[in-house]
Amino acid sequence: MTEQRQLADRESVIQVNKMNKWYGDFHVLTDINLDVKQGERIVICGPSGSGKSTLIRCLNRLEEHQEGDITVNGIELGDNVKNIEVIRKDVCMVFQHFNLFPHLTVLDNLTLAPMFVLKQPKREAEATAMKFLERVKIAEQANKYPGQLSGGQQQRVAIARSLCMNPKVMLFDEPTSALDPEMIKEVLDVMIELAEEGMTMLCVTHEMGFAKQVADRVIFMDAGQIVEENEPHEFFNNPQNDRTKLFLSQILGH
Amino acid sequence: MTETTNRARPISGPVLNRSLRWMKENLFSTPLNTVITLLCVYIIWSVLEVLVSWAVVNASFGAAKEACEAATGACWAYVHDMWRFLLFGTFPADQHWRPLLAMVMLTSGMLLSMNRRFWSPWLAVAWIVGFIAVYFVLRGGVLGLPPVRTAQWGGLTLTLVLAVVGIAFAAPLALLLALGRRSEMPLIKVVCIVIIEVFRGVPLISVLFMASVMFPLFLPEGVSIDVLLRAQIGIIFFQAAYLAEVFRGGMQAIPKGQYEAADSLGLNYWQKTFKIILPQALRLVIPPTMSTFISLFKDTSLVVIIGLFDLLAATRAAVNDPMWRQQFIEAYLFIALIYFCFCFFMSRYSAYLDNDLKKSTSH
């Protein structure tokens, strides 16, 4: 377990204020309030359909919210396309199904966005890409295509691809759920390393070991609401809400 | 069992041995299979025999028409006499090197474009320059070339011009229509849907007819657009409408995750479309795209109804020549062979490209 870190006096990177979202008539997120500090590691868990993926997908506007405010780095996230573009440069997402670009080599997957969005020269983008590929221990695969890699390798490439954008925040949407069990660890190791380097992370996951090891805060969601949030030690050992207790007994019980 | 004995005594050389074994396994493996094989051989032979004896054994190959009267088979003197007309139509005879040069430019341009190494924005520039060059080579009026009206362009030359220009402009137009139809901007979307549905909803013949007869009525007095150009534009829009739906199908097959990944990396609409979605979508639709191109190539023969003189029309005119009444089969076989060569080549290229692209991105 990590020691209690002093986050309260840090700057907020993401502020969500009374956010509501509907799919048609279905109220998928209800009155979400969230304040993410610089360098904070947050794990979001909850039963399936509780809205946790939808919540983080709202934070870089893959989904739009209907009510309330989301502010990222002081920029209001709304219908303004320019704002969305600016925010997406700083907030990157790692997906459950990796979503690498299958027609590009690993290296081209990593350099595409830095070259076109950040306008980096090709050489610089490639140098950065190789640096991050080495960090996720996969540099030797740079010239292969995603289809030639294992799931775990693909997810590590996807993480490296996000890192190349030099993001301020990284969102993880169940990054290990589509992996074979023996590959989960290699991806979690990369994420733990990132967390220890101070990356601001919001991570939707069922890996409770990861939550205990690196999270500053665990958020439990159910039926579109944040039901309980606490630092991990308290969250796991002393849950307050009945639904949290039930959920924890189900996933930790076996 | 039989295989082991077969392998035990090699007949003569591995090639013969292998082909014998292949025949044994594939053509004569069961009694029924043997019967079907023999039946097919018989049918193929009876057709081929007639064809070969007509086209080769009993045919006359001489250039003189008189020789034909003795021969009971095909009279290839006809093609010998008429090939210039079939290739160049009514283009002035002393200028035939010009349509020939144009055809060489168009076909070599196509062959070069098939090589993936040359795929870059420069290729589009090269094509535009090439089209301008082809246009002036045919039309003349510059560099001391005598001018030739478009009405005199004909034969295979005209077919190639219509087909290659058609493909080169229909493809990008189809791309715009497909993107427009998927757009979230209502006006653009509606305009694209209307264009696609109108052109897909009427036969090419009526598009050409409208282009040639009705369109001039809407032009202000004194303005006239060349009938060939009007037909060309009609063909482009007609095929673009079909191709747009092919492209749209390809784009719809790309998983949502690809769009989301591109969005979350901050790529804008055009970057996302041209770097992520289209390269994948177009790969998926290579076979139906090539089908559309092949049908475009053949459909150019419909321009005959508005008085243009393509390969098929030239042939039809040629067989009406009173001197050569009997030889329409030779003429049609000859141009069928020309059409087939072009279309079969396109089809093989599509299969090759499809395979090559698949191979390069997987194991």
Side-chain angles (χ1 to χ4, degrees):
Chain A
M1 214 194 70
T2 50
E3 78 282 14
Q4 197 65 25
R5 302 196 309 156
Q6 291 303 312
L7 290 161
D9 49 349
R10 293 214 192 167
E11 230 175 286
S12 292
V13 190
I14 297 179
Q15 283 170 308
V16 180
N17 189 19
K18 278 203 171 282
M19 191 248 282
N20 278 278
K21 174 170 178 59
W22 288 265
Y23 285 131
D25 289 337
F26 179 57
H27 200 167
V28 32
L29 292 173
T30 309
D31 290 335
I32 302 289
N33 291 301
L34 182 64
D35 187 2
V36 183
K37 300 287 187 192
Q38 173 88 51
E40 193 172 13
R41 285 96 55 150
I42 297 177
V43 164
I44 303 171
C45 61
S48 89
S50 57
K52 49 198 194 304
S53 284
T54 311
L55 169 57
I56 65 166
R57 287 161 60 86
C58 284
L59 301 181
N60 70 344
R61 196 70 174 184
L62 287 182
E63 307 272 355
E64 51 187 270
H65 59 283
Q66 279 85 30
E67 273 179 19
D69 313 309
I70 300 176
T71 315
V72 180
N73 280 329
I75 300 168
E76 167 82 37
L77 184 59
D79 291 327
N80 186 320
V81 181
K82 281 275 160 272
N83 284 2
I84 295 174
E85 280 178 12
V86 172
I87 286 170
R88 280 178 178 165
K89 282 183 200 170
D90 287 336
V91 182
C92 277
M93 180 172 284
V94 173
F95 298 88
Q96 181 177 359
H97 295 287
F98 333 133
N99 295 348
L100 294 177
F101 305 129
H103 62 298
L104 300 176
T105 62
V106 165
L107 188 62
D108 290 340
N109 261 280
L110 267 65
T111 56
L112 183 84
M115 280 166 61
F116 285 96
V117 180
L118 304 180
K119 311 292 179 204
Q120 284 177 10
K122 188 175 171 141
R123 189 165 305 187
E124 185 190 330
E126 282 181 353
T128 317
M130 288 313 295
K131 185 181 90 189
F132 285 118
L133 281 178
E134 264 156 42
R135 225 171 93 182
V136 299
K137 300 179 184 63
I138 207 162
E140 71 283 1
Q141 315 280 11
N143 292 312
K144 287 195 179 170
Y145 286 91
Q148 296 165 312
L149 305 184
S150 74
Q153 290 173 321
Q154 290 193 46
Q155 193 61 295
R156 284 185 280 150
V157 171
I159 293 172
R161 179 173 69 176
S162 292
L163 290 174
C164 284
M165 291 297 287
N166 194 18
K168 297 203 171 67
V169 182
M170 281 183 75
L171 308 172
F172 292 84
D173 189 1
E174 307 205 27
T176 56
S177 301
L179 295 175
D180 291 337
E182 73 269 23
M183 293 171 183
I184 291 178
K185 187 173 177 300
E186 65 188 54
V187 172
L188 285 181
D189 284 347
V190 169
M191 291 168 61
I192 290 167
E193 211 179 295
L194 267 181
E196 281 165 357
E197 284 165 19
M199 175 65 75
T200 312
M201 295 165 73
L202 279 92
C203 186
V204 173
T205 184
H206 298 296
E207 296 295 331
M208 290 304 131
F210 173 78
K212 285 176 190 166
Q213 190 177 344
V214 305
D216 297 307
R217 180 157 44 131
V218 180
I219 292 177
F220 175 72
M221 287 182 72
D222 190 23
Q225 287 172 306
I226 293 178
V227 174
E228 182 163 353
E229 54 184 314
N230 214 331
E231 56 88 20
H233 185 73
E234 278 296 299
F235 181 85
F236 288 109
N237 296 321
N238 190 17
Q240 303 297 310
N241 190 292
D242 286 342
R243 282 185 285 179
T244 317
K245 287 176 192 164
L246 178 65
F247 176 75
L248 287 176
S249 73
Q250 279 165 340
I251 65 160
L252 299 175
H254 59 81
Chain B
M1 252 171 22
T2 46
E3 227 182 36
T4 44
T5 48
N6 200 358
R7 214 174 281 156
R9 51 184 164 82
I11 307 171
S12 71
V15 177
L16 182 62
N17 199 5
R18 220 182 307 141
S19 49
L20 278 179
R21 196 183 313 151
W22 180 86
M23 284 168 73
K24 194 166 187 172
E25 280 165 14
N26 292 286
L27 301 176
F28 302 103
S29 53
T30 63
L32 179 66
N33 221 340
T34 308
V35 171
I36 294 175
T37 300
L38 291 177
L39 196 69
C40 289
V41 168
Y42 173 73
I43 294 172
I44 291 171
W45 171 245
S46 37
V47 173
L48 265 187
E49 206 238 318
V50 176
L51 194 69
V52 169
S53 70
W54 177 80
V56 183
V57 180
N58 297 326
S60 93
F61 291 94
K65 184 177 182 282
E66 292 67 37
C68 285
E69 274 146 30
T72 54
C75 174
W76 295 116
Y78 172 79
V79 172
H80 188 272
D81 206 45
M82 282 295 182
W83 67 270
R84 273 172 171 257
F85 186 63
L86 298 183
L87 296 192
F88 308 127
T90 51
F91 212 88
D94 59 332
Q95 301 289 322
H96 275 179
W97 64 272
R98 281 159 56 183
L100 188 65
L101 176 63
M103 283 199 280
V104 169
M105 285 166 77
L106 289 174
T107 33
S108 51
M110 281 208 293
L111 289 174
L112 287 179
S113 309
M114 286 176 170
N115 193 328
R116 279 209 287 151
R117 264 185 307 158
F118 296 127
W119 290 6
S120 74
W122 289 108
L123 190 62
V125 178
W127 268 109
I128 290 170
V129 173
F131 281 139
I132 294 172
V134 165
Y135 175 73
F136 280 111
V137 164
L138 288 174
R139 199 204 65 153
V142 288
L143 301 170
L145 295 174
V148 177
R149 284 176 301 115
T150 54
Q152 287 175 283
W153 303 7
L156 182 62
T157 316
L158 183 66
T159 297
L160 271 184
V161 167
L162 286 171
V164 178
V165 176
I167 288 171
F169 285 88
L173 178 62
L175 212 52
L176 291 180
L177 287 174
L179 290 174
R181 190 165 186 170
R182 284 169 63 82
S183 157
E184 280 161 15
M185 284 174 266
L187 183 67
I188 291 178
K189 188 174 176 151
V190 166
V191 168
C192 290
I193 290 178
V194 167
I195 293 177
I196 289 172
E197 295 305 335
V198 164
F199 278 94
R200 266 189 345 150
V202 293
L204 180 55
I205 289 208
S206 35
V207 172
L208 292 173
F209 200 69
M210 279 192 272
S212 101
V213 179
M214 285 176 57
F215 185 67
L217 301 179
F218 299 112
L219 288 177
E221 219 166 314
V223 178
S224 75
I225 300 177
D226 187 84
V227 68
L228 175 60
L229 181 61
R230 278 181 267 143
Q232 182 75 76
I233 291 171
I235 289 174
I236 289 171
F237 270 88
F238 184 80
Q239 298 295 353
Y242 275 91
L243 206 49
E245 290 297 277
V246 170
F247 289 167
R248 192 166 70 97
M251 285 185 240
Q252 269 171 353
I254 302 303
K256 202 167 146 242
Q258 293 290 309
Y259 292 86
E260 289 178 350
D263 282 340
S264 75
L265 286 170
L267 297 173
N268 66 30
Y269 174 80
W270 295 107
Q271 292 163 341
K272 177 172 65 173
T273 303
F274 282 97
K275 294 288 167 188
I276 307 300
I277 304 306
L278 283 180
Q280 298 183 60
L282 296 185
R283 250 169 233 208
L284 285 177
V285 297
I286 287 170
T289 301
M290 201 52 88
S291 267
T292 312
F293 288 162
I294 287 175
S295 80
L296 184 152
F297 188 87
K298 294 185 297 179
D299 285 352
T300 54
S301 54
L302 292 171
V303 294
V304 66
I305 76 137
I306 55 168
L308 293 175
F309 218 66
D310 76 311
L311 178 57
L312 189 61
T315 314
R316 210 170 291 155
V319 300
N320 284 335
D321 185 336
M323 217 172 91
W324 292 105
R325 270 286 146 102
Q326 309 296 317
Q327 274 71 43
F328 63 93
I329 300 181
E330 287 87 332
Y332 283 123
L333 262 182
F334 179 67
I335 64 155
L337 195 67
I338 294 180
Y339 275 114
F340 181 79
C341 285
F342 278 98
C343 294
F344 187 65
F345 184 73
M346 284 156 89
S347 148
R348 293 319 302 161
Y349 174 67
S350 134
Y352 154 79
L353 187 63
D354 205 15
N355 245 322
D356 196 46
L357 288 171
K358 259 188 211 124
K359 237 188 316 185
S360 66
T361 54
S362 57
H363 296 276

